[in-house]
Amino acid sequence: MGLEGDTKMNKIPSDEDLDRASKMMEQQFQSLDVVKDTVVSRFKKACPLYDFHILPQGEDGFRAYVFFKTDEDVQKCTETGIVEDIKACVYQELQRVGRGKIGETTVAFELDSDENVTANYEGDYFLRLR
């Protein structure tokens, strides 16, 4: 069968389609900036937290990226319980902003360091988050 008969592949999204997709994206990211800001402000001075990102993943889940300055900082913060404190804070903030109750929300956490991003991703966090 030729491409001429396949109209699905040639369909250009309408303005309504684009508007609907935009609203869906807005809903997926709703209040995640508040969660990020709270985690960063709470832990930036208490530990060598370098950066934090949280993204929607699936219908009711999230992926959180916790970056420390060095690989050694990742290890130390894991051993001292700071990582568990950060995880608890993320769940509390998600619940507080109405993005899911503790125990019913799934967050996949990834720990990394700026040192690793610099060495293996040319310092590009966009490449690291992909």
Side-chain angles (χ1 to χ4, degrees):
M1 181 162 134
L3 290 176
E4 311 84 39
D6 192 357
T7 58
K8 286 185 180 180
M9 288 184 67
N10 295 327
K11 185 178 180 198
I12 297 173
S14 68
D15 288 342
E16 292 82 19
D17 292 336
L18 294 173
D19 191 42
R20 189 171 35 258
S22 178
K23 286 179 183 173
M24 285 176 57
M25 287 289 288
E26 255 181 60
Q27 286 179 323
Q28 288 179 329
F29 282 88
Q30 181 182 356
S31 302
L32 294 184
D33 57 336
V34 175
V35 174
K36 175 184 176 162
D37 292 346
T38 301
V39 170
V40 170
S41 68
R42 190 171 295 169
F43 290 95
K44 192 87 168 180
K45 292 180 182 174
C47 69
L49 179 66
Y50 186 78
D51 206 354
F52 174 79
H53 298 276
I54 185 162
L55 304 170
Q57 182 177 351
E59 283 191 35
D60 296 320
F62 303 92
R63 181 163 297 274
Y65 298 88
V66 182
F67 293 96
F68 295 97
K69 185 64 182 160
T70 67
D71 292 339
E72 185 179 339
D73 293 335
V74 174
Q75 183 179 349
K76 284 181 181 177
C77 290
T78 300
E79 291 170 357
T80 61
I82 291 173
V83 168
E84 288 305 313
D85 292 343
I86 292 171
K87 289 179 180 182
C89 178
V90 169
Y91 281 108
Q92 290 166 358
E93 285 303 300
L94 286 169
Q95 180 169 299
R96 187 181 69 79
V97 299
R99 293 305 307 267
K101 295 181 179 180
I102 296 173
E104 297 177 8
T105 305
T106 303
V107 181
F109 287 91
E110 289 192 35
L111 306 177
D112 205 344
S113 69
D114 180 60
E115 179 178 62
N116 180 57
V117 174
T118 299
N120 295 303
Y121 299 92
E122 299 175 8
D124 190 332
Y125 277 77
F126 177 75
L127 290 176
R128 170 57 185 87
L129 296 175
R130 293 181 59 195

